[in-house]
Structure formats: C-alpha cells, structure tokens
Amino acid sequence: MKALARRGRVEVRLAGIGGQGIVLAGHILALGAFYDGRWVICTQAYSARVRGAPVEADVIIADRRVPFPFVRRPDILVALAEPAFRFLELLAEGALVLTDASLARHVEGVGARKLVLPIFEKAREVGSPALANMVALGALVASTGLVKPGSVEKAISESVRPDFLEADLRAFRAGLELVGA
C-alpha cells in the first residue's frame, strides 16, 4: 500500500459496535502482520456495555519499532456501524474507507478512497451475520496487500475457538473473494 511505502507504517482503525467482533478482527490483523515479520501495535477502546456500544481496534503496522502506540490519522478505516463514521475527519490524505453497502450513504462526498462492499450479505451467505468481521478482514487484506492471507489464516487459527474456526476461515476467504483475490 502506498501509505506503507511512504512512511514505513500504516495506521488502521477498525470500528463498529459491541458484538461485531471488532476487537478480535484487530487482534487477528495485528497477529498476521507480526507473522509477516512486521512491527505491530494493537490497542482497543470499548464500553462496559457488552453489545451495541461503540468499539474501536487500532492497529499500527510498521517497518521498524513504533514509538507512539496510538492511531492519530488512520490510513485505513474499516467502518462496520454508524458510530464508526465519526472518524472520517481524522483520516490521513489518501486514506481508504472500507464499509458495507448498507452504510454507503455515510461516505458519500467523502474525499477518501472508498471500498463499499456487501459485507453483511456475504457474512449471511457464509453462515451468520456475526461473521461480518472476518469478511471485512478478508476484503481489507485483498484490497491492500497489507498482510499476507496465509499469515492472517494462521492468526485466525490461533485466535478463534475450534468450534468457530471453520466458519471464520470460510468468511475470511469470502472477503478475499469479494475483492477478487
């Protein structure tokens, strides 16, 4: 991705609401980048409410040690719920916004690059709306090349309970296919 080549680092913010698996997706992205031999920082912010409150997972992937552990100007925003769009004003120049087709109205007129896909629909097709986080992760990986798909699959295998593993891998691969990888 150009931002990585330019600065030697990419700031990613995944955002949505509690119950969407945002924190898990951020953890998996960070672990996959680690397996690729990159320097990584992953932080999360979420409410005490279990479901429905805003949630963010920030991942910084870099060529060298990361001196400041917080995302300030996201190069990539993965937005899976309406509260996520409050971060649009923070985006770096040339940033990418990845979101679901049902949320497209929130990115109309936004100067960033946009990737609007049927993420929730694809998640339902592969088994459950709860798999949208993995579909989005697959689309992110396919559209940016930020992390190798095999590294993310390894991270999924080590991060997801065995009874959910097959479904999460299937959803991740469906996300890759949404972008044509």
Side-chain angles (χ1 to χ4, degrees):
M1 179 171 185
K2 287 183 184 177
L4 184 60
R6 183 180 70 241
R7 294 188 339 220
R9 65 186 267 155
V10 172
E11 296 184 5
V12 182
R13 175 161 289 159
L14 298 98
I17 56 174
Q20 288 185 310
I22 297 294
V23 170
L24 176 62
H27 167 80
I28 289 169
L29 177 63
L31 188 57
F34 172 78
Y35 290 145
D36 280 351
R38 309 299 302 283
W39 289 89
V40 182
I41 296 282
C42 182
T43 58
Q44 303 91 27
Y46 47 89
S47 168
R49 285 185 11 207
V50 176
R51 298 217 184 277
V55 174
E56 298 96 47
D58 289 349
V59 180
I60 299 173
I61 301 170
D63 292 335
R64 57 182 153 276
R65 188 181 308 260
V66 179
F68 184 74
F70 300 105
V71 167
R72 290 189 233 182
R73 309 271 306 152
D75 298 296
I76 301 168
L77 173 63
V78 178
L80 294 184
E82 194 168 325
F85 296 101
R86 71 183 187 273
F87 300 115
L88 289 174
E89 63 189 40
L90 301 176
L91 294 175
E93 185 177 330
L96 170 68
V97 178
L98 171 64
T99 194
D100 182 71
S102 68
L103 300 166
R105 71 184 187 285
H106 296 288
V107 293
E108 290 174 4
V110 172
R113 294 176 297 138
K114 297 174 252 331
L115 185 56
V116 179
L117 299 167
I119 295 168
F120 299 142
E121 179 182 325
K122 184 56 74 175
R124 281 189 293 279
E125 285 176 16
V126 297
S128 168
L131 295 168
N133 62 337
M134 292 298 124
V135 173
L137 191 57
L140 170 65
V141 167
S143 65
T144 64
L146 191 56
V147 180
K148 294 176 188 163
S151 298
V152 176
E153 289 190 6
K154 180 179 178 185
I156 291 169
S157 297
E158 294 181 4
S159 303
V160 173
R161 288 186 4 207
D163 47 332
F164 293 122
L165 180 58
E166 184 180 323
D168 281 17
L169 287 170
R170 188 171 56 247
F172 172 73
R173 292 173 185 146
L176 291 171
E177 292 171 10
L178 267 180
V179 180

